[in-house]
Amino acid sequence: MRRIALGILTFFSLFLTITIAQSAERWAELPAFPPMPAPKASGMADVNDIKMYYAEYGEGDPILFIHGGLGNADVWGHQVADFARDHLVIVADSRGHGRSTRSQQPFGYDLMTSDYAALLDYLKIGKVTLVGWSDGGIIGIDMAMKHPEKLTRVIAQAANVTTDGVKSDVMSNRTFNDYINVAGEYYRKLSPTPNEYDAFVTQISEMWATQPAWTTADLRKITVPVTLAIGDHDEAVKLDHTELMAKEIPGAKLIILKDASHFAMLQDPEGYDTMIRDAMAGR
């Protein structure tokens, strides 16, 4: 009986240790959005057929950070605090997201890319390093194809170029659903249409179901330096899809973010910022 009791104790001790270790894995958690520093300038830009929220920080070579779908610029708090020390940092809320308005036009990546191109014109900013996460990364790749004259380089994390690059079980993932709920809380707090989050999600989901749909030939025309990053535990985007993108975009570099998921900028801000600085230095 003593051996059985010891065996049971050992089993439950091991189970508890494994459970605690799993719960402590940073890639399985969604950290809170960090507080944003005070901007040196912010406002609502008249862009295409919307009013687009933007904010600027710091001085130096410009970096434009573009958030992912359903989110807003405030996801970049860690990165803004770091890069505003030696760069001009621009963040914005994509159309219909955060504080920005939307129109009757259906959501589409080409449309949102044209918004960001127009925002840079509005701010009288020439070329930027574009750092995009998820939908923001897709916008970065789109801009590399449509407006390469506005880019020094693109750093795209967790982007896809066809719909089959998205994992089929993403919507059942706990961390991703936590993000959808957090994004909803921000939407209700920031949006000029705070009661329309469900309709907004439906509209964005319609875009996700059909876009992007770029071909190998499209990707091979890109001339801007591109770095592709993906977390080794990304819940949404397939690693082999990102690897294929890296093969098809001329000169693209692939970075695997260790112990991180779709939300790497929140889970490992120091490593994420180092990845960006290395890419900017051509490493």
Side-chain angles (χ1 to χ4, degrees):
M1 288 294 293
R2 180 181 172 83
R3 285 184 180 178
I4 293 172
L6 284 172
I8 292 171
L9 267 172
T10 301
F11 170 80
F12 280 109
S13 176
L14 180 61
F15 176 79
L16 185 61
T17 300
I18 292 171
T19 302
I20 291 171
Q22 287 177 336
S23 66
E25 296 287 4
R26 68 183 182 189
W27 50 263
E29 302 298 328
L30 180 70
F33 289 13
M36 292 288 281
K40 71 173 187 178
S42 65
M44 302 294 289
D46 289 315
V47 166
N48 292 330
D49 56 352
I50 63 166
K51 290 188 179 296
M52 190 173 192
Y53 170 79
Y54 71 90
E56 295 178 293
Y57 307 81
E59 300 286 346
D61 291 339
I63 306 177
L64 170 63
F65 285 89
I66 304 182
H67 64 82
L70 307 181
N72 62 77
D74 292 8
V75 75
W76 296 116
H78 291 304
Q79 287 67 45
V80 170
D82 182 357
F83 286 91
R85 295 178 301 158
D86 52 0
H87 289 83
L88 170 62
V89 175
I90 308 107
V91 297
D93 292 339
S94 298
R95 75 165 47 221
H97 295 66
R99 290 144 286 216
S100 296
T101 67
R102 68 180 186 270
S103 69
Q104 296 302 309
Q105 289 197 71
F107 283 96
Y109 291 111
D110 286 351
L111 178 60
M112 290 194 286
T113 298
S114 74
D115 292 338
Y116 278 97
L119 177 66
L120 292 177
D121 289 342
Y122 177 90
L123 297 175
K124 296 180 172 55
I125 293 172
K127 290 190 174 188
V128 298
T129 289
L130 191 159
V131 179
W133 158 57
S134 196
D135 274 8
I138 297 172
I139 291 169
I141 292 169
D142 199 8
M143 192 171 289
M145 293 189 281
K146 304 290 196 312
H147 299 284
E149 75 283 355
K150 295 188 177 296
L151 297 171
T152 304
R153 66 185 59 79
V154 172
I155 302 166
Q157 180 235 331
N160 56 289
V161 293
T162 60
T163 55
D164 60 7
V166 178
K167 294 181 177 179
S168 60
D169 61 350
V170 59
M171 298 310 291
S172 63
N173 179 273
R174 180 184 62 82
T175 311
F176 199 86
N177 275 279
D178 287 347
Y179 167 71
I180 292 174
N181 292 331
V182 169
E185 293 170 7
Y186 270 90
Y187 184 92
R188 285 181 281 273
K189 181 173 67 174
L190 299 175
S191 176
T193 55
N195 298 320
E196 297 182 15
Y197 185 63
D198 290 345
F200 168 61
V201 172
T202 298
Q203 292 170 335
I204 290 290
S205 297
E206 289 171 358
M207 177 183 73
W208 288 343
T210 58
Q211 299 180 35
W214 295 316
T215 65
T216 296
D218 293 329
L219 299 181
R220 288 178 178 171
K221 293 176 183 175
I222 292 175
T223 57
V224 173
V226 173
T227 296
L228 300 169
I230 186 167
D232 58 2
H233 288 82
D234 195 292
E235 305 91 341
V237 178
K238 299 174 183 175
L239 174 59
D240 60 357
H241 180 79
T242 310
E243 291 171 338
L244 181 63
M245 290 166 58
K247 289 179 182 177
E248 300 298 349
I249 297 174
K253 294 184 178 180
L254 175 62
I255 304 296
I256 308 296
L257 303 171
K258 184 174 173 55
D259 296 329
S261 81
H262 202 68
F263 309 101
M265 80 294 291
L266 297 171
Q267 294 161 340
D268 181 22
E270 183 177 346
Y272 199 87
D273 295 357
T274 298
M275 177 273 293
I276 294 171
R277 290 189 182 276
D278 284 347
M280 293 175 70
R283 295 192 290 270

